[in-house]
Amino acid sequence: MMPLKVHWGSPGHWAIRLIWVAATIAFVVYIPTQTQPGTIGDMTVALELVAVAMALNLVMGYGGLISLGHSAYFGLGAYTMAVLVDHYGWSQGWTLYVAAAFGFVVGCLTSLPALRLKGVYLALTSIGLAVLFPQLVKWQKLEWLTDGARGIDNLQYDEIPVWPILGELDGRRGRAVWMYWLAVIVATIAYFICRGIVKSRVGRSLIAIRDNETAAAVMGVNRARTQTIVYGLSAAITATAGALFGIRINGVSPDQFDLILSITFVVIMVIGGGATLWGPVIGAFAYVVLEIRTREWGGGDSEGLVGVLFGWLKGSPATLILAVVLLVLMFVAPYGIIGLLKRLAAKFVVIVPSPAGTRSNVPPVEEGLDPSIDEPFPSVSTEETP
Amino acid sequence: MERFLDAVFLGLSSGAIYSLVALGLVVVFRGTGHLNFAAGEMATFSAYITWVVTTWTLFGDTGLPLWLATLAGMVFGFALGATTEVFIVSPLSKKSPLAVFVALIAILLGINAIDVGRWGAPPSEEIDSLFPNDPDDFVRLFGAVWRWEDIGTLIVTLVASALLFLLFGKTKIGLAMRAVASNSESSKLVGVPTKLVLAGSWGLSGSLAALAGVMVAGAQSQVTPTMMFTIFVYASAAATLGGLDSPIGAVVGGLSIGVLENVAAEFAPEWIGQEMKLSVALLCIFVVLFVKPSGLFGTERVERV
């Protein structure tokens, strides 16, 4: 069967985009209105992860800079929130802005190694950041601020603000719905920041640096400024999501923000598909769905195939499955789930870009159903010259 | 002075562990140019296997002796490393370095998930130390306490590194390894079985990590899933300090970082103490990478443009 050809910017293309947007909005509204508080809570987790994965995608997918240090930014945001609420009596909503600002500054500062180092060396320093953060929080010189190894819990949260459009919000469900919408707002802002960066001069500079640093520098791209800004924005988004996380579980403790958390972020981003706008979204939801589905598996009392495969584990096999899926994906689909979906969609619909020069605006780098995938999984080495 | 020597002795033993893992990293990095991010978890996994083997009751009902189990753990570590190279690293190297990185991260995550899922919940797996470690097992040297356990760890490391240097310097296998490290294409042309050599390097790295894992577990008398996280960071700091492609650098780097952090913790308990020891290692990484990226003993990398 010949795939259907749709021209870029034609009514058909706009229809596809509209359906896509409508489906997304319908899903977002369906969750808090039609489902149980448990599901709302799970989807809130997914949305927090969406924001983090998008932030990581900026640095690692588009920028090609390996970062295993994002758990530190995440923890930084959560701690900023907890300290401000617990020690200084702030209201929780306002701490999000401070967390974002603080994250931006720290992100810019920690981007300095990225300006000099590449590949494994950069990965090493970022691992150092992830391992250092819990130790720093437990440090006795900072105990007056962070309460050391005990962490900060039982935060006083304010009354849920009354938003008439959301209807009655009270009790457990009310708080879940409120957290959900907060996460929706943060994830949406994160999406538009990423989209804005990727489709602007900064994003094109970033990709140019990733693909060939020397060529980019010759063309007049300011590497230091571009990467520092992107790092800062990425850390700011991650810190905001961290603050949301802290608000949702109503407390923080140092060991929640360990290296494994950073690795989980990377895995989510890669599974969804690096260097694409929707990859992190799909990755985060896939991760959460996997987590929910396998919650009852393992533990020795499951039956059938699941019991045979995972009966020897005491807990949930979610992380193990994730690791295996990631390994397999590296071989069969290095562009992640979204790469697979695009390949599938290309069998039915192909969006034909309009010829160069016929449009006033610059063609976007990538779009939802565009089958032409341009190396979303970049090589880090500079030895390979095209 | 006694305090200083105490810290030095303690540092030499923790440094010995870092050296072992760092040696493994260096062996792999020389061969394939990848940093084995899963080395720490391979060590933990092998330590768990060692623990499992000690519970086997082949002779009577006492279980196997620990040294035999350690050997079994090292063999397991070798197999783990070699399998990783043959089935994962080698095929993915052709695609992109980032794919190898992600795959190693996946292995790290998967092994950690197995450890946590199978053995993670309390009660934890108790394991003896390879060396005598009762409270009165120590010698006094210039008034400072040097525990047998620390001496043992240091000796095992030094012996292991000496054997490794003999392997590199005096045997045909070592010659092949050095050849592949120096120029993989040319050595393939003159008939060196490159693939076998690379698998061997990764296996060696796994064995060294396994030995380190058993000693770490012995020092804290139990195997825990997260015990190698910080040690991996220390080890990579040691490898960076010594130069990522120099075995002697790994040993010297590991020992000096061990001594440095313990002396710092001893003499600045307020500022560094036990919590911020790691910052010493990280500072080492940063300073080395910014001042002399090739490390103390590494070869300068020349990049052709």
Side-chain angles (χ1 to χ4, degrees):
Chain A
M1 191 186 86
M2 279 291 286
L4 187 68
K5 280 192 178 151
V6 180
H7 282 272
W8 186 275
S10 68
H13 183 220
W14 278 105
I16 293 176
R17 287 174 146 186
L18 268 179
I19 293 170
W20 188 236
V21 172
T24 311
I25 291 177
F27 178 76
V28 167
V29 175
Y30 171 79
I31 293 294
T33 50
Q34 306 295 324
T35 57
Q36 296 301 312
T39 313
I40 301 175
D42 290 333
M43 289 303 126
T44 313
V45 177
L47 285 165
E48 284 163 11
L49 291 174
V50 165
V52 178
M54 277 180 180
L56 186 62
N57 191 20
L58 278 184
V59 169
M60 214 170 137
Y62 291 107
L65 305 163
I66 294 177
S67 171
L68 282 172
H70 268 60
S71 66
Y73 306 133
F74 196 72
L76 185 79
Y79 260 93
T80 308
M81 185 281 299
V83 166
L84 285 178
V85 170
D86 197 60
H87 295 3
Y88 299 98
W90 283 44
S91 121
Q92 284 174 339
W94 289 104
T95 62
L96 292 182
Y97 304 99
V98 183
F102 202 27
F104 185 82
V105 174
V106 174
C108 288
L109 287 179
T110 47
S111 77
L112 294 178
L115 301 180
R116 286 242 0 216
L117 307 173
K118 285 198 204 85
V120 289
Y121 297 100
L122 183 58
L124 265 184
T125 53
S126 68
I127 286 187
L129 188 65
V131 179
L132 186 63
F133 180 78
Q135 311 277 349
L136 199 64
V137 168
K138 290 183 212 164
W139 192 23
Q140 51 178 344
K141 287 277 169 193
L142 285 177
E143 208 163 331
W144 59 276
L145 193 67
T146 60
D147 288 5
R150 274 174 295 128
I152 304 171
D153 55 1
N154 278 327
L155 300 173
Q156 298 293 319
Y157 55 83
D158 335 312
E159 292 297 305
I160 300 160
V162 179
W163 292 347
I165 48 165
L166 299 184
E168 288 288 309
L169 288 181
D170 47 68
R172 179 161 172 258
R173 189 185 168 86
R175 188 164 163 78
V177 171
W178 182 64
M179 283 308 309
Y180 174 83
W181 283 110
L182 216 51
V184 168
I185 293 170
V186 169
T188 314
I189 292 175
Y191 173 78
F192 281 106
I193 289 178
C194 291
R195 197 186 143 93
I197 289 180
V198 170
K199 303 201 172 185
S200 72
R201 188 190 163 97
V202 180
R204 287 194 294 276
S205 306
L206 191 67
I207 294 168
I209 297 168
R210 177 194 77 188
D211 290 343
N212 191 333
E213 198 189 312
T214 317
V218 170
M219 307 288 266
V221 170
N222 186 337
R223 176 178 167 209
R225 196 175 62 197
T226 310
Q227 291 189 341
T228 306
I229 289 175
V230 169
Y231 242 98
L233 281 174
S234 173
I237 296 172
T238 312
T240 316
L244 273 188
F245 167 82
I247 295 177
R248 181 169 53 78
I249 66 166
N250 209 19
V252 286
S253 70
D255 292 323
Q256 287 164 330
F257 310 105
D258 59 356
L259 184 61
I260 291 291
L261 184 68
S262 268
I263 292 178
T264 313
F265 294 157
V266 172
V267 170
I268 289 171
M269 186 212 92
V270 173
I271 276 191
T276 56
L277 281 175
W278 283 90
V281 183
I282 292 177
F285 277 93
Y287 172 77
V288 170
V289 168
L290 176 76
E291 189 102 272
I292 297 170
R293 294 287 303 168
T294 58
R295 218 170 260 168
E296 308 294 318
W297 294 5
D301 47 340
S302 39
E303 289 162 3
L305 184 63
V306 170
V308 174
L309 282 178
F310 303 113
W312 52 278
L313 286 171
K314 284 178 193 156
S316 155
T319 321
L320 184 57
I321 296 177
L322 196 69
V324 174
V325 168
L326 186 62
L327 260 188
V328 174
L329 272 185
M330 276 299 101
F331 283 94
V332 300
Y335 306 127
I337 298 175
I338 199 145
L340 284 177
L341 291 180
K342 279 181 178 174
R343 223 185 291 166
L344 190 70
K347 288 197 195 318
F348 303 104
V349 182
V350 174
I351 294 171
V352 186
S354 48
T358 56
R359 256 197 344 265
S360 55
N361 57 337
V362 189
V365 178
E366 68 91 42
E367 188 49 56
L369 291 167
D370 187 359
S372 61
I373 308 159
D374 57 351
E375 187 77 15
F377 214 64
S379 77
V380 184
S381 96
T382 49
E383 272 108 35
E384 294 172 10
T385 37
Chain B
M1 187 63 193
E2 281 165 33
R3 272 174 75 199
F4 178 72
L5 274 183
D6 270 341
V8 169
F9 292 154
L10 208 61
L12 281 178
S13 95
S14 44
I17 304 270
Y18 310 154
S19 300
L20 269 187
V21 182
L23 264 177
L25 295 180
V26 165
V27 169
V28 160
F29 190 83
R30 277 159 62 99
T32 49
H34 297 297
L35 198 61
N36 182 4
F37 285 97
E41 293 317 287
M42 286 180 176
T44 315
F45 200 19
S46 307
Y48 272 115
I49 296 296
T50 305
W51 172 79
V52 169
V53 173
T54 55
T55 60
W56 285 353
T57 47
L58 292 182
F59 317 113
D61 43 36
T62 47
L64 284 184
L66 184 61
W67 63 271
L68 204 62
T70 307
L71 281 184
M74 287 174 71
V75 171
F76 177 80
F78 190 94
L80 196 61
T83 328
T84 308
E85 209 289 323
V86 172
F87 290 104
I88 294 159
V89 176
S90 172
L92 282 180
S93 297
K94 292 173 198 115
K95 292 190 174 170
S96 85
L98 200 56
V100 176
F101 165 77
V102 173
L104 286 174
I105 290 298
I107 292 172
L108 195 172
L109 195 66
I111 294 182
N112 188 261
I114 293 176
D115 290 345
V116 172
R118 182 75 184 126
W119 299 294
S124 48
E125 278 56 39
E126 290 182 11
I127 193 165
D128 283 336
S129 177
L130 278 168
F131 317 105
N133 67 340
D134 286 329
D136 55 345
D137 284 332
F138 60 83
V139 287
R140 278 199 178 276
L141 211 66
F142 305 112
V145 171
W146 202 355
R147 296 177 50 76
W148 282 116
E149 192 176 26
D150 295 346
I151 300 178
T153 312
L154 186 60
I155 290 176
V156 166
T157 302
L158 291 181
V159 168
S161 352
L163 287 178
L164 208 63
F165 287 120
L166 280 182
L167 178 79
F168 279 139
K170 302 284 179 198
T171 64
K172 279 215 128 174
I173 306 171
L175 186 65
M177 281 182 162
R178 280 185 294 149
V180 173
S182 151
N183 190 332
S184 145
E185 291 294 309
S186 309
S187 48
K188 201 186 274 177
L189 285 177
V190 296
V192 175
T194 325
K195 285 188 175 171
L196 213 62
V197 168
L198 289 184
S201 322
W202 275 78
L204 210 55
S205 154
S207 292
L208 290 170
L211 185 57
V214 174
M215 292 204 286
V216 171
Q220 57 177 22
S221 346
Q222 60 185 14
V223 200
T224 48
T226 53
M227 66 182 189
M228 296 302 281
F229 279 6
T230 44
I231 293 191
F232 174 74
V233 176
Y234 280 122
S236 39
T240 320
L241 178 63
L244 266 176
D245 56 354
S246 154
I248 184 108
V251 177
V252 174
L255 293 179
S256 29
I257 283 183
V259 170
L260 199 65
E261 56 148 2
N262 275 293
V263 170
E266 179 67 33
F267 287 95
E270 287 278 296
W271 282 97
I272 296 175
Q274 293 307 309
E275 286 94 12
M276 292 303 279
K277 265 182 174 180
L278 193 68
S279 60
V280 178
L282 291 176
L283 206 66
C284 278
I285 296 192
F286 274 106
V287 171
V288 170
L289 286 182
F290 279 92
V291 177
K292 193 169 184 295
S294 56
L296 294 177
F297 297 88
T299 41
E300 298 271 349
R301 283 193 168 237
V302 183
E303 267 184 49
R304 248 172 290 170
V305 185

